[in-house]
Amino acid sequence: MSVFESNKAPEPVGLYPHARKVGDLLFLSGVGPRERGKTEIPGVTLGEGGEILEYDIEKQCHSVFKNVKDILEASDAKWTDLVDVTVFLTNMKDDFKTFNKIYAEYFQDVQPCRTTVEVNALPTPIAIELKCIAHIIS
């Protein structure tokens, strides 16, 4: 097994790697929209108590996809190697349509399997997180 870390993707918020390769499969840990070395989250306005006052799902989607790409590249993988994507949204009713439109821009030619679920909360004040699996032939 190999462990991969990206020097471009945001630092993990816990004890886990950005990705781990087992055989021909690359498993990415959950990827959100945070940016490396920054405390602000793209598209998120927080209140004094750290609560989300407002967010822009479009900005968060673009940031998440960039982070996934950065992790794939650091792991010697490509966007086209993605075979499965699990999407976690905190507000399916309001955000799914926008997310789905942006997703189609990035995945039109790749089309991995996908599952999208709504969750009550994510570990940091974000509205989206992706869990991805890629197939890499060495």
Side-chain angles (χ1 to χ4, degrees):
M1 288 188 287
S2 303
V3 172
F4 297 94
E5 298 292 335
S6 168
N7 61 3
K8 295 180 182 177
E11 299 85 346
V13 296
L15 184 60
Y16 55 86
H18 281 131
R20 180 177 291 268
K21 184 177 178 190
V22 180
D24 292 341
L25 296 177
L26 181 71
F27 299 87
L28 275 63
S29 295
V31 180
R34 294 178 309 106
E35 294 179 338
R36 185 169 197 87
K38 296 185 178 180
T39 56
E40 308 83 29
I41 300 169
V44 177
T45 303
L46 298 176
E48 290 181 23
E51 71 280 5
I52 300 172
L53 298 178
E54 60 183 20
Y55 67 93
D56 181 334
I57 191 64
E58 195 166 329
K59 284 184 182 177
Q60 288 196 40
C61 287
H62 289 295
S63 188
V64 167
F65 297 145
K66 178 195 175 304
N67 289 338
V68 167
K69 184 175 182 278
D70 288 341
I71 293 168
L72 288 169
E73 289 174 357
S75 307
D76 298 323
K78 302 179 299 295
W79 192 258
T80 55
D81 293 331
L82 288 168
V83 294
D84 190 64
V85 176
T86 303
V87 182
F88 301 95
L89 296 174
T90 60
N91 188 340
M92 187 78 72
K93 182 181 173 207
D94 291 342
D95 297 339
F96 182 76
K97 185 177 179 180
T98 301
F99 160 75
N100 209 36
K101 177 182 71 104
I102 296 167
Y103 183 93
E105 294 171 14
Y106 285 82
F107 288 93
Q108 184 169 345
D109 297 328
V110 179
Q111 297 187 16
C113 293
R114 185 182 93 187
T115 302
T116 306
V117 296
E118 182 178 54
V119 295
N120 186 35
L122 290 161
T124 59
I126 58 177
I128 181 174
E129 183 171 288
L130 266 59
K131 174 80 176 108
C132 304
I133 301 171
H135 180 247
I136 307 169
I137 299 176
S138 306

